[in-house]
Amino acid sequence: MCGIIGYVGKKCTAPILIDGLKRLEYRGYDSAGLAIVSDGRIASEKAVGKVKRMEDAALAQPGFMKLCGCGIAHTRWATHGAPSEVNAHPHFNMDHTIAVVHNGIIENYQDLRRRLEAKGCKFASQTDSEVIAHMISEAYQGDLLAATAAILDQLNGTYGIAVVSSAQPGLIVVARKGSPIVIGLGEGENLVASDVSPLLPHTRQVIYLEDGDIAAITAEKVDLRSVKNVPVEREVAKIDWDAGAAEKGNFAHFMLKEIFEQPESIANAIRGRVDHELGSAILNGMNLSPRELAQITHIVIAGCGSSMHAGLVGEYYFEDIAGISTSVEQAAEFRYRNPIIEPNTLVIPISQSGETADTIAAVREAVQKGAIVTAICNVVGSTIAREAGRGVYLHAGPEISVASTKAFSSQVVMLLLFALRLGRNRRFSRSDGMLLANEIERIPELVREVLAQAPQIEKIAKRYAHNENFFFIGRGCLYPAALEGALKLKEISYIHAEGYHAAELKHGPISLLDEHHPVVALANDIPGKDKIIGNIQECRARRAPVIAVATRGDKQVLEMADAVIEVPPCSRFVAPLPTAVALQLLAYYTAVERGCEVDQPRNLAKSVTVE
Ligand code: G6P
């Protein structure tokens, strides 16, 4: 939530910061702002709404785009204080000599603000973040690093901050506790950001700050310390994403691009991980011996949003393939409900970003309860990946669209590989393992076949896009696919959509059905199909239009449903993948038809880094 970019070097600063903010916009788009230190003063611009509005305002300031030196910028997802120009970052001290951008939440800001106001400090905004600028100003005695370090232990909550001062041009100070900061190392220039995507056009060499780190960054040097002012060393990581991976290319939206990338992103998740000889999977990052794997008695999966839905698919896999009892927790509840973690419990946190606050908290709770923790993340070097200590990466490339698509499918594939590995430790035979391994290898092709039907799915979307309520129903491991399909539709098209187990319809929701309330029924030809057929009839009897997802050539469903999206034949384990892709396309074209901002739906942000 919220994005930070900073630059120090010789180039014109505003264009670099604005380009960086555009690449970060998926982290929040309520308002944007930037501050540039030049000629002994801080020039700034802010605007409510998208970065483009702030850019237009900056272009209207004579000479602003030509300022060179160093600067910081921010795109905001409002927590404390409404989205307004005064609440947009950067925030300043009273004489406008210090500017701060902040991600996270300062929980004790009211106490801090009262103390500062009692000393005569005048606040411009309602944000929690502004206290940081005034506190650094109060502590400042000519050394920005020292002043920043001096105030950090008074801040309760989380922060990733970047600070500049007009008294020390060419210097950015950054600090991190709970909210990521990455330093990008360039030639005669350096950058800072809240994640790597805005750094890609400039460098691949990055340093991830750890909690408690603080750094002074100039064009030539990075001085990295602990808050106690002790120099610390951090590894320089190399990012293997190319800059093009974070560009839209010829696609109208990032979401569409990412949907179409799935044959490749899934292939990346599978590559090198299928062991055909043993009918098993190779997941080296798990770092668990066959004996340790055999001792696992229970699995707990924790995640939020689409990652949790992937976990729900995983629950079927682990119980059915590996015979291990599995529960899925909303990460936000995990630590509060004091889960039972026994010595042989395996906890699997799932997170695309690796930065979701609730999932991080779940990891910490699991680690301190002594669980074996192995994470599934996409972003390399992210907090969850590091704190879990072991895990596997999706290698899906950057996911920019707020609505998750390719990360979800890769998470499901990874869980299937994981279940196969655990299954082969237990009751799954070599021949069954070989069959499943072959099925897994087919997934990219199955997805490609669904993508080829995009024009037909678009037509169906257009036909039903005017409705304001949808149900999605499924059974077995297609039940979580129904939940995910409903989430996709509601988050980007603002249609009220609910996912239900097909059998649950009769326990209440069916009373809502009429001719204006379509039902998307996942009627793939897998065990349980006959039951779904019955449920489709029940919906039709209430005049609800039925859009069915069915196995190619299934005449029974074709005759019964008002519209059919065909997916290729496949086993029940693999079925959630082509199905999920079909539903992503349905949601996408519906949102486009309704004129929605597909990549940046209202009120949402990609990385939810606050509770
Ligand atoms: C946000 C995103 C979702 C994502 C969820 C969990 O709500 O909009 O797409 O599924 O966070 O994010 P994570 O990075 O932990 O997978």
Side-chain angles (χ1 to χ4, degrees), residues 304-307 350-354 356 402-404 411 491 605-606 608:
C304 300
S306 298
S307 294
I350 306 180
S351 175
Q352 186 284 128
S353 62
T356 299
V402 167
S404 180
Q411 288 162 349
E491 69 181 322
K606 179 99 184 132
V608 180

Side-chain angles (χ1 to χ4, degrees), residues 106-174:
I106 306 304
E107 287 161 0
N108 58 336
Y109 83 100
Q110 282 161 320
D111 293 344
L112 297 167
R113 182 171 177 143
R114 270 194 290 276
R115 182 182 67 71
L116 288 157
E117 280 174 337
K119 291 174 87 178
C121 203
K122 296 269 178 294
F123 277 72
S125 76
Q126 291 87 49
T127 64
D128 55 331
S129 311
E130 191 183 341
V131 292
I132 304 171
H134 295 296
M135 288 168 74
I136 294 175
S137 180
E138 199 182 38
Y140 188 74
Q141 292 176 346
D143 182 343
L144 193 61
L145 182 73
T148 307
I151 64 124
L152 292 177
D153 65 354
Q154 297 169 55
L155 305 178
N156 295 345
T158 55
Y159 54 78
I161 55 171
V163 193
V164 292
S165 163
S166 55
Q168 288 179 268
L171 171 71
I172 303 175
V173 171
V174 289

Side-chain angles (χ1 to χ4, degrees), residues 229-278:
N229 205 16
V230 180
V232 287
E233 296 234 344
R234 299 279 172 238
E235 191 192 332
V236 176
K238 186 159 182 334
I239 305 298
D240 57 9
W241 292 349
D242 64 70
E247 313 265 355
K248 252 192 303 210
N250 293 329
F251 288 90
H253 296 99
F254 277 110
M255 184 178 178
L256 190 63
K257 175 182 180 235
E258 289 159 11
I259 290 173
F260 272 84
E261 277 173 357
Q262 288 175 105
E264 199 189 325
S265 54
I266 292 172
N268 288 344
I270 297 171
R271 189 165 300 118
R273 285 171 168 158
V274 172
D275 183 338
H276 286 283
E277 185 58 30
L278 291 177

Side-chain angles (χ1 to χ4, degrees), residues 460-507:
I460 296 174
K462 284 187 167 158
R463 199 154 108 214
Y464 294 98
H466 62 280
N467 291 284
E468 293 304 327
N469 296 285
F470 272 66
F471 284 160
F472 286 67
I473 57 169
R475 287 173 173 264
C477 52
L478 291 178
Y479 162 54
L483 297 179
E484 176 62 9
L487 175 62
K488 284 297 82 92
L489 187 68
K490 80 180 102 178
E491 69 181 322
I492 60 168
S493 74
Y494 315 144
I495 289 173
H496 172 241
E498 296 295 336
Y500 284 105
H501 189 282
E504 275 295 314
L505 268 198
K506 288 196 283 292
H507 296 288

Side-chain angles (χ1 to χ4, degrees), residues 557-601:
V557 181
L558 200 62
E559 280 163 15
M560 197 177 287
D562 298 274
V564 174
I565 301 173
E566 290 193 326
V567 295
C570 58
S571 77
R572 69 185 191 285
F573 294 129
V574 163
L577 289 146
T579 305
V581 174
L583 300 185
Q584 292 164 1
L585 286 169
L586 184 69
Y588 172 78
Y589 289 119
T590 306
V592 170
E593 178 66 13
R594 289 167 69 97
C596 299
E597 288 255 18
V598 173
D599 283 334
Q600 291 159 358

Side-chain angles (χ1 to χ4, degrees), residues 277-318:
E277 185 58 30
L278 291 177
S280 185
I282 306 160
L283 295 168
N284 292 332
M286 280 193 320
N287 207 8
L288 291 166
S289 68
R291 176 174 281 272
E292 286 168 315
L293 288 175
Q295 284 166 350
I296 292 164
T297 52
H298 182 60
I299 294 176
V300 176
I301 301 174
C304 300
S306 298
S307 294
M308 189 193 68
H309 290 161
L312 288 168
V313 182
E315 183 179 17
Y316 284 85
Y317 293 161
F318 288 123

